[in-house]
């Protein structure tokens, strides 16, 4: 039962990047599990391995060793095509930047994933509009990404990430390019989505304000889990004090 | 795109020019007495002596009547090697005895006389010679010319003719080589008694050459030999094959240049969209879909390029079809290979189709590389790319 409740299960995940002759060890054996419906922040200084971790959980990148199980699928056993399918059906992504396809309107961007999933046009449109309304972009269906502000673009990205009800939404520094007020708005919205749609959210950040929104905070340092706290009141991390 | 346009245009245009050149050469060769098919007595081709003449024209005539497709023209001829001479010069020529009426429908001579007149049906003394021969012999219209050759009994027959007409030909060699008299006159001079040397056949449709040649070979008794122009003009056939090979080589060169252009364009387009492809993949698009996307793009590039290239190619052919390209300045050189003085481009549907098909298929093939490249980006790499 307890296993079933975990959407993500990582066991001793290691990953190194080779740069010329130099080996950069990004992850040094991360073990963690994330429950369904969680709203988790991966925090840590720059270069600690947050992006790498999210990419591996999302099947965009593969671990050198260790096990990664997402929604019951062991990623290390899957082909590229199966991974693509997993991303399509089970995972929603929000990247730090460049989230939207520039030639498509906001509505089309949100519809795009459903198009790949083979959802009929009418239903696609209806659901895309509903989710854009949810994120407060009811007037901007037909705008191209270039005609939207950074915050609006990120909201479209969140809308796209959750529109097909994935089991998990991975967001890599979703607020990094936003001012604190807009960032707060986006986090508010994600939190609502988490509560209303019961979607699991895992996001990375090194912004203290963002961490305050999380219900669980995993601190990563030098490719290792340095601390892992569930919020009861507030977090207290030695490194930030 | 521009590469595709220029490529298709040049393939069609130069292809048409070359095709025009070849067809002209063939037409030239065929009109210069060869015809599409010739019938000879066995052995004549190896040893064109008077003994190897055809005695019973009737057998051949009935075979031809039943086998030749409608619209075909044919004519009997006497043809021997001899010596022409006047007071100043003498030189070897080929004496051709023709039926003026039938011959005019088969070979060039019917409409090649530029001074004097053509031969009449039963003329005994008239002879037609080429302009080049006249010049060489320092003679002119109305003067006499003595012809000598071996007759059927092995004696030297000699006879004097009067020059009644002067003809021009595409090639100077033709003007120097042939002298035409009526068939009667030739038969009498050589004591041939109705025998002839060859029958030359001109088909309405050159494409039927092989079929008719084979049919004739089967029907005619073994005392006769049937040859198509391909056998009769081995040099020309060889040139034709050479030109065909050359055309392929040209296609290849154009294609390689164009291929690089396409690959370059597509690679640039792919790299420009590398982040987009990365995003698409991150969102769960299969690699295969990305390949299809890129191929679809180059498909449009090719189709549009080909449409423009074809239009330009056909327009330039059309522009030149009136006046042709005048090579007379180079005539001395071109004559050597039997080329016409003016080239008219000839569009062959097969050439155009080949060029297009080749551009299209190879174009898509080379696009596979950028497409595969696009599909191989991992989303992480692509998204990191700025
Ligand atoms: N493609 C790559 N090639 C080589 N090294 C890489 C690559 N991606 C990441 N790294 C290295 O791996 C380590 C972890 O990188 P990662 O991007 O996961 O850090 P991060 O925690 O997301 O940092 P940031 O907060 O700055 O985004 C870093 O030292 C980084 O330099
Ligand atoms: Mg990062």
């Amino acid at each position: 039962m307890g296993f079933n409740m975990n959407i993500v299960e990582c066991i001793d995940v290691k990953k190194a990047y080779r740069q010329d002759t130099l080996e950069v060890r990004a992850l040094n054996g991360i073990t963690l599990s994330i429950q369904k419906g969680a709203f988790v922040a991966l925090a840590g200084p720059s270069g600690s391995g947050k992006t790498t971790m999210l990419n591996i959980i999302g099947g965009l990148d593969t671990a050198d060793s260790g096990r990664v199980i997402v929604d019951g699928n062991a990623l290390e056993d899957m082909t590229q095509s199966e991974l693509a399918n997993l991303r399509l059906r089970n995972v929603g992504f929000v990247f730090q930047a460049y989230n939207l396809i520039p030639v498509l309107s906001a509505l089309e961007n949100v519809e795009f994933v459903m198009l790949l999933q083979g959802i009929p046009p009418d239903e696609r449109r209806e659901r895309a509009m509903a989710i854009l309304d949810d994120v407060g972009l009811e007037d901007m269906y037909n705008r191209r990404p270039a005609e939207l502000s950074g915050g609006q673009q990120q909201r479209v990205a969140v809308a796209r990430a959750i529109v097909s009800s994935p089991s998990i939404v991975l967001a890599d520094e979703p607020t990094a390019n936003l001012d604190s007020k807009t960032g707060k708005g986006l986090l508010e919205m994600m939190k609502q989505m988490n509560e209303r749609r019961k979607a699991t959210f895992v996001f990375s950040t090194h912004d203290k304000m963002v961490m305050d929104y999380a219900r669980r905070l995993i601190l990563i340092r030098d490719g290792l889990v340095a601390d892992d706290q569930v919020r009861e009141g507030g977090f207290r991390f030695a490194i930030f004090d | 795109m521009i590469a595709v346009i220029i490529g298709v245009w040049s393939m069609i245009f130069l292809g048409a020019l070359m095709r025009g050149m070849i067809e002209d050469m063939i037409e030239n060769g065929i009109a210069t007495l060869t015809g599409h098919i010739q019938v000879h007595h066995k052995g004549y081709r190896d040893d064109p002596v008077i003994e190897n003449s055809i005695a019973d024209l009737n057998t051949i005539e009935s075979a031809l009547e039943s086998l030749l497709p409608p619209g075909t023209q044919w004519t009997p001829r006497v043809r021997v090697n001899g010596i022409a001479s006047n007071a100043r010069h003498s030189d070897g020529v080929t004496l051709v005895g023709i039926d003026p009426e039938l011959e005019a429908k088969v070979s060039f001579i019917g409409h090649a006389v530029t001074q004097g007149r053509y031969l009449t049906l039963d003329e005994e003394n008239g002879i037609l010679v080429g302009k080049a021969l006249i010049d060489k012999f320092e003679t002119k219209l109305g003067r006499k010319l003595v012809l000598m050759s071996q007759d059927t009994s092995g004696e030297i027959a000699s006879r004097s003719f009067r020059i009644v007409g002067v003809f021009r030909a595409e090639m100077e060699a033709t003007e120097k080589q042939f002298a035409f008299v009526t068939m009667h006159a030739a038969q009498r001079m050589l004591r041939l008694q109705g025998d002839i040397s060859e029958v030359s056949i001109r088909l309405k449709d050159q494409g039927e050459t092989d079929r008719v040649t084979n049919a004739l070979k089967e029907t005619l008794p073994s005392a006769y030999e049937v040859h198509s122009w391909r056998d009769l003009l081995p040099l020309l056939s060889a040139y034709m094959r050479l030109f065909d090979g050359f055309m392929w080589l040209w296609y290849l060169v154009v294609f390689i240049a164009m291929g690089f252009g396409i690959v370059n364009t597509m690679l640039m387009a792919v790299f420009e969209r590398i982040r987009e492809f990365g995003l698409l993949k991150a969102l769960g698009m299969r690699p295969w879909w990305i390949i299809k996307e890129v191929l679809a793009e180059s498909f449009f590039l090719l189709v549009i390029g080909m449409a423009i290239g074809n239009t330009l190619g056909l327009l330039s052919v059309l522009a030149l079809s009136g006046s042709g390209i005048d090579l007379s300045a180079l005539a001395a050189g071109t004559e050597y290979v039997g080329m016409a003085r003016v080239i008219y481009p000839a569009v062959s549907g097969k050439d155009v189709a080949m060029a297009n098909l080749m551009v299209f298929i190879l174009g898509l093939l080379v696009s596979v590389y950028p497409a595969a490249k696009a599909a191989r980006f991992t989303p992480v790499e692509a998204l990191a790319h700025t």
Side-chain angles (χ1 to χ4, degrees):
Chain A
M1 182 68 200
F3 183 81
N4 266 346
M5 290 303 289
N6 287 336
I7 184 106
V8 175
E9 198 84 52
C10 295
I11 302 157
D12 198 24
V13 172
K14 290 183 180 164
K15 173 81 183 177
Y17 293 104
R18 195 167 291 284
Q19 233 171 12
D20 300 324
T21 53
L22 205 74
E23 200 187 49
V24 184
R25 297 212 276 165
L27 300 179
N28 289 316
I30 290 208
T31 300
L32 58 81
S33 47
I34 295 168
Q35 286 184 311
K36 264 183 191 158
F39 197 69
V40 188
L42 291 181
S46 181
S48 54
K50 305 182 293 292
T51 299
T52 308
M53 194 62 228
L54 285 178
N55 285 343
I56 286 174
I57 294 172
L60 290 179
D61 211 343
T62 46
D64 295 338
S65 68
R67 303 207 69 197
V68 182
I69 296 159
V70 176
D71 213 6
N73 304 285
L75 300 194
E76 59 271 16
D77 300 334
M78 292 169 79
T79 63
Q80 279 303 315
S81 185
E82 287 168 335
L83 285 174
N85 201 40
L86 178 85
R87 290 198 294 272
L88 181 61
R89 311 267 162 196
N90 302 29
V91 183
F93 282 100
V94 181
F95 299 102
Q96 183 174 340
Y98 199 82
N99 264 299
L100 306 178
I101 300 160
V103 294
L104 301 183
S105 70
L107 192 68
E108 288 164 341
N109 261 290
V110 176
E111 276 189 62
F112 182 78
V113 178
M114 291 187 282
L115 174 88
L116 291 186
Q117 288 172 339
I119 292 169
D122 289 347
E123 189 187 340
R124 236 155 53 201
R125 181 128 306 200
E126 212 168 287
R127 279 167 64 176
M129 285 171 153
I131 200 96
L132 281 175
D133 295 349
D134 273 4
V135 300
L137 293 176
E138 51 278 330
D139 307 326
M140 307 188 181
Y141 293 160
N142 294 317
R143 295 225 196 148
R144 298 278 170 95
E147 299 159 353
L148 295 169
S149 74
Q152 288 163 341
Q153 286 182 37
Q154 288 303 75
R155 280 193 269 167
V156 175
V158 172
R160 183 198 56 207
I162 59 178
V163 69
S164 51
S165 310
S167 355
I168 184 165
V169 175
L170 303 173
D172 191 10
E173 311 206 26
T175 62
N177 289 332
L178 307 177
D179 62 73
S180 63
K181 193 162 157 269
T182 320
K184 235 176 188 147
L186 191 76
L187 279 163
E188 245 355 297
M189 193 195 80
M190 282 167 48
K191 198 163 185 172
Q192 271 180 30
M193 293 286 163
N194 168 252
E195 282 159 9
R196 240 193 284 159
R197 300 198 178 220
K198 303 283 171 246
T200 310
F201 275 80
V202 181
F203 52 91
S204 72
T205 185
H206 42 220
D207 182 343
K208 190 136 188 351
M209 184 270 290
V210 177
M211 292 173 210
D212 285 340
Y213 273 86
R215 271 187 276 115
R216 178 182 168 197
L217 191 61
I218 300 170
L219 182 68
I220 294 181
R221 214 185 327 169
D222 299 331
L224 284 167
V225 177
D227 203 345
D228 189 346
Q229 296 186 16
V230 176
R231 176 193 179 102
E232 289 155 26
F235 300 115
R236 283 190 305 119
F237 283 120
I239 61 158
F240 292 117
D241 293 339
Chain B
M1 178 87 142
I2 298 210
V4 178
I5 295 174
I6 293 179
V8 173
W9 170 76
S10 69
M11 273 162 117
I12 288 180
F13 183 57
L14 289 170
L17 274 188
M18 285 206 204
R19 179 67 59 197
M21 220 146 83
I22 296 170
E23 281 183 0
D24 239 90
M25 279 170 73
I26 295 169
E27 181 52 35
N28 239 327
I30 283 166
T32 313
L33 298 192
T34 307
H36 291 118
I37 305 171
Q38 286 188 1
V39 182
H40 296 109
H41 192 275
K42 204 178 179 78
Y44 179 87
R45 287 263 299 147
D46 298 326
D47 188 11
V49 292
I50 197 104
E51 287 81 10
N52 286 332
S53 297
I54 298 170
D56 51 342
L57 184 54
N58 289 345
T59 320
I60 296 179
E61 198 166 346
S62 56
L64 293 182
E65 229 120 74
S66 65
L67 282 176
L68 294 184
T72 308
Q73 302 291 343
W74 64 273
T75 184
R77 278 183 204 134
V78 171
R79 179 165 170 164
V80 291
N81 292 325
I83 292 167
S85 56
N86 66 2
R88 294 164 196 263
H89 297 274
S90 74
D91 205 352
V93 294
T94 300
L95 178 65
V96 188
I98 57 171
D99 177 322
E101 220 167 273
L102 293 178
E103 186 68 39
K105 293 175 187 158
V106 172
S107 71
F108 78 107
I109 189 66
H111 46 84
V113 174
T114 54
Q115 276 177 59
R117 59 172 175 83
Y118 187 53
L119 294 172
T120 56
L121 207 53
D122 287 316
E123 185 153 6
E124 288 294 336
N125 289 315
I127 189 167
L128 296 179
V129 293
K131 176 77 169 61
L133 190 109
I134 287 266
D135 293 345
K136 192 173 158 207
F137 276 59
E138 296 174 81
T139 181
K140 63 181 184 192
L141 208 62
R143 294 271 174 85
K144 280 188 174 176
L145 193 67
V146 176
L147 265 281
M148 276 187 294
S149 185
Q150 199 185 45
D151 71 14
T152 43
S153 51
E155 304 288 319
I156 295 295
S158 122
R159 202 180 153 141
S160 147
F161 292 93
R162 191 170 299 279
I163 299 170
V164 297
V166 176
F167 69 84
R168 300 288 322 244
E170 281 286 354
M171 283 183 282
E172 210 179 275
T174 310
E175 292 180 4
K176 278 187 186 155
Q177 191 190 349
F178 295 106
F180 297 88
V181 299
T182 62
M183 213 160 72
H184 285 292
Q187 283 168 340
R188 173 153 333 158
M189 169 181 165
L190 303 166
R191 298 193 214 194
L192 270 168
Q193 283 151 2
D195 294 2
I196 57 154
S197 313
E198 71 187 17
V199 171
S200 175
I201 300 163
R202 186 190 184 92
L203 297 166
K204 209 170 162 188
D205 174 12
Q206 184 188 311
E208 294 214 86
T209 306
D210 291 338
R211 189 183 66 74
V212 176
T213 306
N214 289 333
L216 282 174
K217 272 183 184 159
E218 273 173 31
T219 313
L220 286 174
S222 62
Y224 301 108
E225 286 177 339
V226 183
H227 296 281
S228 73
W229 61 269
R230 269 186 258 276
D231 308 324
L232 296 165
L233 302 167
L235 196 64
L236 192 58
S237 323
Y239 270 127
M240 206 174 134
R241 275 194 299 277
L242 193 74
F243 266 119
D244 264 354
F246 194 66
M247 205 118 109
W248 278 106
L249 197 71
W250 172 247
Y251 281 4
L252 196 74
V253 167
V254 166
F255 191 75
I256 289 173
M258 197 169 61
F260 275 112
I262 293 175
V263 169
N264 199 36
T265 312
M266 291 312 294
L267 272 183
M268 250 152 65
V270 162
F271 275 112
E272 227 162 64
R273 295 175 60 194
I274 180 167
R275 297 217 293 167
E276 191 179 328
F277 287 129
L279 180 61
L280 293 178
K281 276 185 99 173
L283 292 181
M285 200 183 221
R286 307 271 169 92
W288 173 233
W289 288 28
I290 291 174
I291 291 181
K292 277 199 287 197
E293 173 118 342
V294 175
L295 286 184
E297 193 158 315
S298 51
F299 174 86
F300 280 114
L301 191 96
L302 281 169
V303 167
I304 295 171
M306 274 162 55
I308 299 177
N310 274 307
T311 314
L312 282 182
L314 294 178
L315 279 181
S316 11
V317 167
L318 210 66
L320 277 179
S321 62
S323 54
I325 291 182
D326 196 341
L327 290 183
S328 43
L330 308 167
T334 56
E335 179 170 301
Y336 173 68
V337 290
M339 264 162 41
R341 288 180 178 134
V342 178
I343 297 176
Y344 295 96
V347 178
S348 120
K350 208 183 90 196
D351 287 350
V352 173
M354 263 328 283
N356 278 296
L357 201 71
M358 208 163 125
V359 168
F360 187 70
I361 291 180
L362 292 179
L364 277 187
L365 276 183
V366 298
S367 305
V368 167
Y369 172 66
K373 194 133 186 132
R376 254 204 319 268
F377 297 137
T378 73
V380 180
E381 279 168 5
L383 285 170
H385 191 97
T386 42

